[in-house]
Amino acid sequence: MTQLNIRVPNDIRPLYANFAVLDTTRDEVIIAFCCAEGGVERPEAQLVQKIVMTPANLKNLHASIGELLEKHQMRHGPLG
């Protein structure tokens, strides 16, 4: 595998999301990461980031997330 050098701008900061909304068109996959607040009485969510990618890139991401989840569970135990 080729090593990729990733440049990270100084103003990039982490964002917290506790759910995602997924959608697809013929040529694109859209993942909207959101942060929900307010509880059951006043549910409210704010979009924190939207990612648009090709279905082929989603397939690669799916495989990478599966590998990451396996490593996480090996290190920290199985998820409920």
Side-chain angles (χ1 to χ4, degrees), residues 11-39:
D11 61 344
I12 292 292
R13 53 177 238 250
L15 299 171
Y16 177 78
N18 55 11
F19 80 98
V21 177
L22 309 172
D23 199 6
T24 184
T25 67
R26 183 178 178 283
D27 299 318
E28 296 176 329
V29 174
I30 300 100
I31 306 172
F33 292 98
C34 303
C35 184
E37 302 173 338

Side-chain angles (χ1 to χ4, degrees), residues 35-79:
C35 184
E37 302 173 338
V40 178
E41 304 82 37
R42 293 187 70 197
E44 203 170 280
Q46 180 168 344
L47 177 69
V48 294
Q49 191 63 257
K50 183 187 269 189
I51 306 295
V52 180
M53 59 179 41
T54 66
N57 285 339
L58 177 67
K59 187 173 182 178
N60 293 335
L61 177 62
H62 180 263
S64 295
I65 289 173
E67 291 172 13
L68 179 64
L69 183 57
E70 283 182 30
K71 289 176 185 176
H72 177 84
Q73 292 184 104
M74 287 175 63
R75 197 175 296 150
H76 302 289
L79 296 174

